[in-house]
Every structure is written in C-alpha cells, then in structure tokens.
C-alpha cells in the first residue's frame, strides 16, 4: 500500500466533492433557474399595471447583473438546505455529512454568503452558516451507488410566512382553499411576490411542511402534477389567487403567484395537516450528482 | 407616476412633493438599520444621547447586506431590502425623534408609520424585494459601519449611493399607503374566491372534470 492510499488521498477526493457542492451553492445563489426566469418574463409580458411592470423589470435586471457579476441575486442567501438522495452503495456516504458542513463553511467565505445562523437561546452567530441543526440536511436512502444533492439556500422572508393548519378532518379537502388563500393574504407583500406556493397535505404535522417546502423550492415551474386532479386544482388555485390582485411586491397587477405546487401523504384519521411554504421569486436551487468514480455534475 | 432624482439630506419640501406611485432615485448617504439597530437608536434618544450619525433629513434603509472585508475597508456584494413590517413598532418614533425623511424597505408598513409620515413629513419607499445585486451596483462606497457587535446583517452600515433605485413611493406624506390599500381590496375578494374554489372541489362533476 503506497502513500497515495493514505487518508490524505481520500481527503483530496473529498475535496473535489466539497468544491462541487460549493460550486452548486454558487450557481444557486447567483443564477436564477431558467424555469423561474422564463415565468417572470411571461409575467412581465402579461402585466399592464405600471408599478408591477417596473418591479418585474427591476427583478429581471437584477437577475442579469447577478449572472454577469457573480454576485448573489438576493442578499438573503438563506439557511442552507440539502436534500440528499444517497445511494446506499456510494463510497462517499460515510463522509458526506462532513463534506456538506465543510462545503457550507467554504461557500460562506468564498462566494460569499451572508452568515445567517443564529443560536436561538444565546443569540450567537458562528459566522459560517453552521450550528446545531444547520445546515438542514434531509436524507433519503436510495438504491445504487450515486448521490444526488439538491442544494436550496432559502431566504427568511418567505420562510417567515409559512403556515401549518390542522383543520377538522371532516371538512377534508374543502378546508384547503380557505387555508391557502388566507395564507397568501396574510403573507401579503412580505415574501417578495411573485412567489411559488408549496402545499403539503397529510402525513404528520412535520410531513405536511416538509413536502410543502420540497414542492415549493425543488419542483420546477411548468412541471405538471402527475395526479390529474391535483394538476387541475393547482391551476384553479393559481387563477383564484392571482385574481385577488395582490400583485408583484403587493403593488397590484396580474401576477401574485407563479405557481401552486401540491404534494400529499397519507394521514391519520384524526388529523388533516395542511402545510404551506412560500418560495420567493428568488428561487435558489441547484443539483449536484456524484458518480461512484467521483465525477461531478452540476445542473439547475 | 412622476420620477424624481433626490440628493441627501432631504428637506421637508423634497418629500412633500412625492406622491404614492412616484419613482425616486436617491444620491448621497443612506444608513441601514434593522430591528436591533432601531431599538438601539431609540434607547440612545431616550437617554439623551446622540446617534453615531446625523439622521436629520436622512434616509434609513431596512437592509442586512452581504459584505466582504477588503484591506482598506468593506465591499458590498449584495444589499436588497428586508421585510419592513418588523420595524413598524419603532419607525414612527424614529421619524419623529430623529427627523428621518425617507425609509426604504420592502413589503409595506402600517398605520403608525403612515401617520408619522403625514405628521412629520416623511415617506416610505420600496426597493424591489430580492434585488440585492441591483442595489449593490448603486452603492459606491461604505463610508462607515457602527454597532458591529449586533452582527453584520444588523449593524448600522453607512453607504454612499448614486442613483439608488428605482424606489417606489408606497407611503406618502398625505396619508396614502398603496400596499395596505391594495391588500384591503384583495381581502374584500376573499370570500368569493374561496367559495368558488370550494364549489369546484365539492362538485363531483367538477372533480371528474379536474381529473381530465
Ligand atoms: S423573500 Fe426571498 S427575495 Fe425577498 S428578500 Fe427574502 S430571500 Fe430575498
């Protein structure tokens, strides 16, 4: 066994993965995903309200500047979320948690990201976007030897208007429209509309919010819900919400939401959890795929 | 919807000209302040002290920037607005006691701020939420920073800006507040919109329709 097989060598392999995750974070915070940008352009084309038009134009100019200069789209680079689909046979699995922590620290320094993690009890900010429970890592074990990591830096303004409701199960799905519309009205201009509204139905209370956030932040705009009933309901909700006229930044006009994304899980007979999570227009996401040989692919 | 180009410090006359819906570009000095900085500003005034920077005729920006330390000072990387609603409990007093003429933020502010704007001659404007790179482009220099003990996002950053905007006047000095007026109109439609959606869900026929 030569020196190359020493832990040092495996560290350098990890280093490539760490850098891959850093680059994915960089892409996420500096480059708006194409599906979101094209939805914003469509909103601008359709808009007649001059104030809303001016805001959409500023948003698109901002997106362009961020892409060109490598600056973050929005100064709130969020809490870092990782959604990991971890192939059980992937050789990097044992070190993946450490890789994600180190990538978070490096990205904070080099991109840079705003140091956003604060101890809720002692009010201390470690300055590197880590701490107890953060970055937020959701693990899902899958077959095979590949690892896919969705990186989602999610801002605080859209998170602040999240809603969890547990209506009487007897009302069932009929309670949903009121909950969703009220959440949008209460959020008002706070989550920087236009937004994507994630709706999670069922599961435990935590499941409802978890799937709502995934639906809001990970699912691409323009993708159709595989369940035809829900696909129709999503469309009705989009039209209904946009008819309220809240508009871009609360200034009125045609577009308040770019999409409503619904997901569900089976529930307990006594509970009907409904979770609502907003994703602001500044949707930050990217995907890192790591093959067993160590090759890395980053997409949006 | 008129467009104005203003220089700091702002006079009462400057802001009394502005009406909701107008667009403003500001050149001069703007000072960031979030929750903790607002609280500290008011504590200082109460104890008879002076804030670290003169805010009479000044502009307060609700913002927690991304900054980078350079050998000679600081560089602003991204600096869009933060949600103003959190500062509602402080802002009326800040306008009254410190003589601030313009607040920049996002998401809108409430009745107390609207009243203070009318009474003391101030405006609340919004910068496009999330447009952190666009804002940073107009920030030419970090003139100073105070209260770094509050953390980077919460500190008082003093920026020299050129043509900072577009800022949209959301609360003018005549009692108009376009975001809350617009939200009130939206709320009026709530029952009708929800009722229609419930009907769609209730109707078996439409359930099948939706399933197509
Ligand atoms: S809600 Fe989103 S776009 Fe608005 S400031 Fe927060 S992170 Fe940025």
């Amino acid at each position: 066994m030569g020196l190359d097989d020493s832990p040092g060598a495996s560290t350098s392999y990890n280093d490539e993965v760490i850098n891959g995750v850093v680059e994915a974070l960089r892409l996420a915070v500096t480059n708006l995903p194409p599906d979101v940008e094209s939805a914003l352009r469509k909103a601008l084309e359709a808009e007649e309200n001059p104030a809303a038009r001016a805001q959409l134009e500023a948003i698109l100019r901002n997106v362009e500047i961020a892409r060109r200069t490598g600056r973050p789209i929005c100064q709130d680079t969020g809490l870092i979320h990782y959604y990991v689909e971890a192939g059980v046979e992937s050789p990097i699995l044992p070190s993946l948690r450490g890789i994600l922590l180190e990538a978070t620290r490096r990205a904070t320094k080099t991109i840079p990201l705003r140091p956003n993690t604060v101890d809720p009890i002692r009010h201390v900010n470690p300055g590197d976007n880590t701490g107890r429970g953060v970055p937020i890592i959701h693990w899902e074990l899958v077959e095979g030897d590949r690892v896919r990591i969705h990186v989602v830096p999610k801002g605080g303004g859209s998170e602040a208007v999240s809603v969890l409701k547990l209506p009487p199960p007897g009302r069932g799905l009929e309670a949903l429209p009121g909950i969703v519309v009220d959440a949008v009205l209460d959020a008002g201009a706070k989550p920087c509309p236009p937004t994507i509204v994630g709706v999670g139905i069922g599961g435990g209370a935590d499941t409802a919010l978890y799937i709502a956030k995934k639906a809001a932040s990970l699912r691409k705009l323009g993708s159709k819900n595989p369940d035809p009933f829900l696909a129709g309901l999503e469309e009705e909700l989009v039209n209904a919400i946009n008819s309220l006229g809240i508009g871009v930044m609360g200034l009125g006009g045609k577009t308040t939401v770019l999409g409503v994304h619904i997901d569900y899980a089976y529930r307990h007979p006594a509970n009907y959890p409904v979770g609502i999570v907003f994703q602001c227009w500044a949707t930050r996401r990217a995907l890192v795929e790591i093959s067993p040989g160590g090759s890395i692919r980053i997409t949006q | 919807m008129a467009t104005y180009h203003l220089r700091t410090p702002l006079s009462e006359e400057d802001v009394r000209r502005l009406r909701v819906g107008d667009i403003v570009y500001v050149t001069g000095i703007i000072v960031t302040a979030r929750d903790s900085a607002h609280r500290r500003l008011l504590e200082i005034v109460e104890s008879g002290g002076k804030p670290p920077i003169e805010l009479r005729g000044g502009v307060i920006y609700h913002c927690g920037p991304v900054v980078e330390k350079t050998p000679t000072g600081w560089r602003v990387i991204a600096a869009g607005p933060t949600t103003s609603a959190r500062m509602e409990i402080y802002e009326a007093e800040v306008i009254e006691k410190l003589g601030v003429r313009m607040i920049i933020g996002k998401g809108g502010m409430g009745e107390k701020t609207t009243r203070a704007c009318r009474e003391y001659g101030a405006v609340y404007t919004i910068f496009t939420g999330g447009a952190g790179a666009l804002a940073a482009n107009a920030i030419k220099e970090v003139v100073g920073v105070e209260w770094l003990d509050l953390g980077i996002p919460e500190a008082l950053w003093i920026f020299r800006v050129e043509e900072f905007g577009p800022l949209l006047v959301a609360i003018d000095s005549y009692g108009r507040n376009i975001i809350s007026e617009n939200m009130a109109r939206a709320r009026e439609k709530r029952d009708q919109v929800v009722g229609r959606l419930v009907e769609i869900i209730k109707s078996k026929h439409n359930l099948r329709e939706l399933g197509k």
Side-chain angles (χ1 to χ4, degrees):
Chain A
M1 197 163 87
L3 277 177
D4 284 351
D5 299 324
S6 68
S10 91
T11 307
S12 90
Y13 165 66
N14 282 352
D15 221 53
E16 273 169 43
V17 181
I18 292 168
N19 285 334
V21 177
V22 171
E23 286 316 305
L25 281 165
R26 186 191 306 278
L27 185 68
V29 300
T30 59
N31 192 64
L32 196 71
D35 56 308
V36 183
E37 187 170 354
S38 87
L40 288 167
R41 286 196 191 284
K42 269 190 210 139
L44 175 60
E45 266 164 41
E47 192 56 73
E48 285 158 12
N49 175 319
R53 282 191 68 88
Q55 297 297 312
L56 284 167
E57 279 161 3
I59 286 175
L60 289 166
R61 211 175 330 134
N62 178 74
V63 167
E64 210 273 306
I65 292 173
R67 187 171 290 141
R68 185 161 41 82
T69 60
R71 289 169 185 257
I73 300 166
C74 176
Q75 74 292 335
D76 184 357
T77 48
L79 271 191
I80 310 300
H81 295 52
Y82 296 108
Y83 296 87
V84 186
E85 293 159 31
V88 288
E89 287 160 51
S90 164
I92 65 161
L93 218 47
S95 46
L96 197 46
R97 202 187 124 75
I99 287 172
L100 294 177
L101 286 178
E102 180 54 25
T104 305
R105 293 196 182 100
R106 254 187 230 179
T108 302
K109 223 185 272 164
T110 58
I111 296 175
L113 306 175
R114 197 171 73 182
N116 271 342
T117 54
V118 182
D119 179 334
I121 313 298
R122 291 163 198 87
H123 250 305
V124 187
N125 185 332
D128 61 1
N129 276 316
T130 68
R132 186 180 166 103
V134 289
I136 296 164
I137 309 175
H138 291 292
W139 298 96
E140 189 189 329
L141 290 176
V142 297
E143 275 177 33
D145 51 14
R146 285 170 183 276
V147 171
R148 286 157 55 91
I149 307 163
H150 298 271
V151 307
V152 178
K154 184 157 190 298
S158 63
E159 190 78 354
V161 289
S162 312
V163 169
L164 173 70
K165 292 278 181 198
L166 289 117
R171 291 192 61 207
L173 199 56
E174 281 169 38
L176 191 77
I179 293 172
V180 177
V181 170
D182 287 342
V184 173
L185 283 167
D186 291 343
K190 292 193 282 271
C192 291
T195 57
I196 304 163
V197 184
V199 180
I201 308 168
D206 54 344
T207 319
L209 283 169
Y210 168 66
I211 60 181
K213 188 179 277 186
K214 275 181 87 170
S217 301
L218 288 188
R219 195 179 130 196
K220 288 187 178 159
L221 282 170
S223 63
K224 211 172 160 79
N225 195 312
D227 181 318
F229 169 65
L230 291 180
L233 187 56
E234 287 177 355
E235 220 180 289
E236 294 288 350
L237 281 164
V238 168
N239 294 337
I241 292 168
N242 284 339
S243 78
L244 295 169
I246 297 169
V248 180
M249 303 300 151
L251 296 170
K254 288 186 179 161
T255 305
T256 306
V257 294
L258 300 170
V260 174
H261 292 170
I262 304 177
D263 199 358
Y264 68 100
Y266 281 29
R267 64 180 178 88
H268 185 282
N271 303 136
Y272 201 98
V274 178
I276 301 191
V277 176
F278 290 79
Q279 171 59 62
C280 51
W281 71 261
T283 305
R284 270 71 57 88
R285 62 164 127 85
L287 171 65
V288 198
E289 291 173 281
I290 305 153
S291 74
S295 82
I296 294 163
R297 211 176 125 222
I298 301 168
T299 52
Q300 245 179 335
Chain B
M1 228 177 95
T3 301
Y4 294 91
H5 300 264
L6 299 179
R7 271 184 181 279
T8 67
L10 305 175
S11 66
E12 176 158 5
E13 202 193 330
D14 283 336
V15 298
R16 291 281 181 199
R17 266 193 299 170
L18 306 174
R19 304 283 173 152
V20 285
D22 286 348
I23 300 283
V24 184
Y25 292 85
V26 168
T27 296
I29 298 293
I30 67 175
V31 180
T32 72
R34 295 168 57 118
D35 319 47
S36 316
H38 275 73
R39 199 172 340 144
R40 198 176 279 186
L41 281 171
L42 290 176
E43 280 165 11
I44 288 177
V45 173
E46 248 157 59
S47 61
K50 268 191 134 195
I53 169 152
E54 178 58 70
L55 286 168
R56 211 147 286 280
V59 178
I60 280 186
Y61 183 24
H62 299 154
C63 168
V66 179
V67 290
E68 197 175 46
K69 205 153 179 129
T70 65
T72 51
W74 296 87
R75 194 167 82 93
V76 178
I77 308 289
T82 189
T83 303
S84 301
R86 298 195 313 274
M87 274 59 82
E88 176 67 13
I89 48 175
Y90 309 111
E91 212 66 89
E93 235 185 304
V94 165
I95 291 170
E96 181 194 343
K97 306 233 163 101
L98 292 163
V100 171
R101 291 270 178 226
M102 182 185 283
I103 309 292
I104 305 172
K106 75 166 178 91
M109 297 194 77
E111 268 170 46
K112 271 180 73 187
T113 304
T114 311
R115 242 179 287 132
C117 283
R118 192 178 53 200
E119 215 159 299
Y120 304 103
V123 289
Y124 169 71
T125 67
I126 60 165
F127 188 88
T128 308
L134 183 65
N137 248 11
I139 297 171
K140 298 304 170 192
E141 187 192 351
V142 176
V143 179
V145 57
E146 303 281 345
W147 303 346
L148 266 175
D149 59 297
L150 296 175
I152 282 182
E154 300 266 349
L156 209 69
W157 293 91
I158 304 162
F159 295 148
R160 186 174 66 76
V161 297
E162 261 169 42
E163 290 288 300
F164 188 80
L167 304 169
L168 186 129
V169 180
I171 300 177
D172 63 20
S173 62
Y174 300 94
R176 292 279 315 269
N177 180 336
I178 37 170
I179 294 178
S180 70
E181 288 164 23
N182 188 45
M183 287 308 299
R185 279 193 295 274
R187 279 190 190 281
E188 276 169 25
K189 298 185 198 147
R190 187 255 177 214
D191 288 351
Q192 193 203 336
V193 161
V194 170
R196 214 195 124 250
L197 287 167
V198 172
E199 282 314 310
I200 291 172
I201 289 173
K202 261 190 190 164
S203 133
K204 282 250 162 65
H205 171 72
N206 272 321
L207 270 177
R208 273 200 302 277
E209 288 284 291
L210 282 164
K212 266 190 197 159

